[in-house]
Amino acid sequence: MKSQNFRKSAELFGAICGGLLISLPVIPQVVAQQSPPKVNPCPRIFYEEPHNNQVVVPPGCPPNALTKRLAAQGLLPVPATPSPEQTRLSVGGEAPSSVTTPPPVPSDQTQQPLPGAVSSDQPQLLQPRQTPSATIALVNGIVNIKLKNETAANVTFQVIGDTAPRSLQGKSDVILQGLKAPVTVTFEREDHGQLIVTPQPSSEPGSLEVTFKEATDAAQGRSTMRIERNGSVFLN
């Protein structure tokens, strides 16, 4: 009797322990997932030649030479301070592997205007007024531009925010159609010579002819054309 009672007690105890083991929660294994690297919207190529002087960087990126020059001439807004994410990524690559982040730029430096740029805090009456080089009648805010290169050198031109830098051979012309004002066009002789730029309204509504000629005087050289919404054409 005692032996049978002991055997039953042992079987009961084993059943209870087995139930406890089965009821224990299963601990899932956490698989570490590595986040894909973030691509910087400000590639290093924007700051290398020839793009440094031919391509305007996207908003939020540190300004390159062309962006600074156009902002100083009043043809582009003063470049904004790079976002903390862009500052963390740095120019031209993916997120650094090190957890150490570069120290933030002091606010008194980021708020300084570029040389030659007009501060937005200044009264409007203090801003210089430039006389338009030409005026055209736009059609629904759209302008067609014919570029005529009368020099013997190739001319590199770009419609900011619309086209990549293109080359116009000497003694040739090209027509840029359907550009929405305001529009900014940059141009530069590939031999680094100076250009005399002459804008002239065409007989067709909303069309402008721009002629490039060689300049011997650096003061005559022009490298940027801006067409405003009211049809005013400015050269710099």
Side-chain angles (χ1 to χ4, degrees):
M1 280 285 267
K2 293 182 180 180
S3 175
Q4 292 178 354
N5 291 337
F6 178 79
R7 185 180 302 108
K8 292 181 179 179
S9 299
E11 292 176 352
L12 179 60
F13 180 78
I16 294 175
C17 293
L20 291 176
L21 292 176
I22 295 175
S23 62
L24 288 177
V26 179
I27 302 177
Q29 295 182 353
V30 180
V31 179
Q33 298 181 353
Q34 183 176 5
S35 301
K38 295 184 178 180
V39 179
N40 195 337
C42 310
R44 187 176 303 277
I45 193 173
F46 285 168
Y47 307 89
E48 299 176 351
E49 298 300 338
H51 299 81
N52 186 42
N53 284 281
Q54 295 182 358
V55 178
V56 175
V57 300
C61 292
N64 60 6
L66 177 60
T67 306
K68 291 180 181 179
R69 184 166 68 249
L70 295 180
Q73 295 172 354
L75 299 175
L76 289 177
V78 176
T81 303
S83 65
E85 180 68 13
Q86 290 170 329
T87 302
R88 186 181 71 84
L89 290 175
S90 76
V91 174
E94 300 175 348
S97 57
S98 175
V99 297
T100 304
T101 57
V105 180
S107 58
D108 59 343
Q109 295 181 4
T110 59
Q111 297 177 355
Q112 294 295 328
L114 292 174
V118 179
S119 173
S120 58
D121 297 334
Q122 296 178 354
Q124 186 70 19
L125 296 177
L126 297 181
Q127 298 183 7
R129 300 182 63 86
Q130 181 180 359
T131 302
S133 300
T135 302
I136 62 172
L138 303 181
V139 178
N140 297 325
I142 301 299
V143 59
N144 299 323
I145 304 176
K146 182 177 182 179
L147 302 179
K148 299 174 61 178
N149 183 8
E150 296 186 357
T151 72
N154 293 346
V155 173
T156 299
F157 67 92
Q158 180 185 11
V159 181
I160 301 303
D162 196 337
T163 68
R166 300 177 181 176
S167 181
L168 178 61
Q169 295 182 354
K171 308 300 180 181
S172 63
D173 57 70
V174 65
I175 299 179
L176 308 175
Q177 296 182 334
L179 301 178
K180 186 174 180 59
V183 59
T184 301
V185 184
T186 62
F187 26 80
E188 180 183 12
R189 280 175 52 175
E190 293 183 1
D191 60 0
H192 304 293
Q194 300 295 326
L195 286 173
I196 296 178
V197 182
T198 306
Q200 182 69 33
S202 175
S203 57
E204 299 180 3
S207 296
L208 182 72
E209 291 188 0
V210 181
T211 303
F212 299 144
K213 294 184 179 180
E214 296 179 357
T216 56
D217 187 358
Q220 296 177 319
R222 296 292 181 267
S223 61
T224 306
M225 179 179 68
R226 174 80 170 180
I227 303 177
E228 300 293 347
R229 291 188 178 92
N230 60 1
S232 298
V233 182
F234 297 93
L235 295 176
N236 285 283

